[in-house]
Amino acid sequence: MTHISRFPYLKVLLYLFLTIYAIITLIPFLWALSASFKPLSEIINGEPNFIPQNFTLDNYKQIFFQEPLFFRWLFNSIAIALTTTLLNLLLNSMAGYALARLRFVGKRFWFFLILAVLAVPAQITLIPTFLILKAIGWLNSYQGMIVPSMVNATFIFMMRQFFVNFPKELEEAAQLDGFNTWEIFRDVVLPLAKPALAAQAVFVFMGSWNNFILPLVILFDPEMFTLPLGLNSFKGQYISYWNYIMAASMVFTLPALGIYAFFNRYFIQGVTFTGGKG
């Protein structure tokens, strides 16, 4: 930024580029928002108009009042995403703190194993996950959706980096006051880890909320579908009801926007803090 401040025209070009990029990014969302208020015939006629010519609320009435499973899909998505997020916050933080502060046999092995897991694409684990869940009878269940996603190597590493840079003096002072390791973690470390926890919460919730592949593989009862999978049911072999899909998509974005808005003040700070030394 110091170089940019010396050359004002570079700053103007930067803001111009960011403005153009923001507009390009917003165009698909604005079109989807507009399409959610259009009848299907207007969407498929090929005219790229952003203002609905035949404004209607029928699409929202359809998904809320005519689609009997929509609220069940919404409940499933919320329950799975919130439970997954809370478990990740607890377990990833505990694992990261152990790797950063505790001494135990095999610590370096487990740390490098976690780094190795980061290099494995999630698609590779999909079939083994399906076979394990089938063997223990967890297909088409909440636990089958939650348990495989309740820890994440990426965020274990992220929390480890945060705790490596955490002031040891605070923990030593708590030890002098008679706190044990769990009490130090719970009462001293976690309350001061809000930036890192907020960043993790946003990423984990968004990942679970938007997850389509895992539900597609292990869920087969329409009542157990999550919203991404439920939206796919509006697409048929011969016709796709894009008006209903766009309306449901707008409803689908609201919880994610709410989570980001709630954690926004911690989010950037958390992403910045989790770099640090190794």
Side-chain angles (χ1 to χ4, degrees), residues 56-132:
T56 179
L57 294 175
D58 290 345
N59 301 328
Y60 289 94
K61 292 178 182 178
Q62 171 69 27
I63 63 171
F64 282 124
F65 303 114
Q66 303 299 321
E67 175 51 63
L69 293 178
F70 181 79
F71 284 103
R72 179 59 187 263
W73 298 339
L74 182 62
F75 169 80
N76 292 342
S77 288
I78 292 175
I80 292 170
L82 284 179
T83 306
T84 300
T85 301
L86 292 175
L87 287 172
N88 270 269
L89 290 177
L90 176 63
L91 299 178
N92 294 340
S93 300
M94 292 173 64
Y97 184 75
L99 290 172
R101 286 289 191 262
L102 304 184
R103 295 182 179 179
F104 54 90
V105 177
K107 176 179 175 179
R108 291 181 63 85
F109 167 79
W110 289 110
F111 176 65
F112 286 112
L113 180 63
I114 290 172
L115 292 181
V117 170
L118 294 178
V120 179
Q123 292 81 359
I124 291 179
T125 65
L126 196 60
I127 300 303
T129 299
F130 172 82
L131 294 176
I132 292 172

Side-chain angles (χ1 to χ4, degrees), residues 17 23 42 98 145 148 157 162 176 178 194 199 214 246-247 254 273:
F17 171 78
I23 292 173
E42 186 176 340
M145 285 292 302
F157 176 76
F162 179 87
L176 293 177
K194 287 180 181 178
L214 184 61
M246 293 300 104
L254 293 179
F273 280 176

Side-chain angles (χ1 to χ4, degrees), residues 63 67-80 142 209 221-234 248 252:
I63 63 171
E67 175 51 63
L69 293 178
F70 181 79
F71 284 103
R72 179 59 187 263
W73 298 339
L74 182 62
F75 169 80
N76 292 342
S77 288
I78 292 175
I80 292 170
Y142 290 115
W209 185 254
D221 183 356
E223 290 192 356
M224 288 298 301
F225 284 1
T226 57
L227 266 178
L229 200 57
L231 294 184
N232 194 55
S233 66
F234 290 123
F252 180 67

Side-chain angles (χ1 to χ4, degrees), residues 121-166:
Q123 292 81 359
I124 291 179
T125 65
L126 196 60
I127 300 303
T129 299
F130 172 82
L131 294 176
I132 292 172
L133 293 177
K134 181 181 179 181
I136 61 179
W138 281 8
L139 291 180
N140 197 52
S141 66
Y142 290 115
Q143 61 268 30
M145 285 292 302
I146 293 170
V147 172
S149 306
M150 67 182 184
V151 292
N152 188 293
T154 300
F155 298 111
I156 291 176
F157 176 76
M158 187 186 85
M159 295 306 298
R160 184 259 182 190
Q161 294 302 102
F162 179 87
F163 292 132
V164 161
N165 295 286
F166 192 83

Side-chain angles (χ1 to χ4, degrees), residues 2-21:
T2 55
H3 296 292
I4 293 178
S5 61
R6 295 177 185 175
F7 304 98
Y9 64 90
L10 288 180
K11 189 174 183 180
V12 173
L13 289 175
L14 175 62
Y15 280 110
L16 179 62
F17 171 78
L18 292 176
T19 301
I20 294 173
Y21 179 79

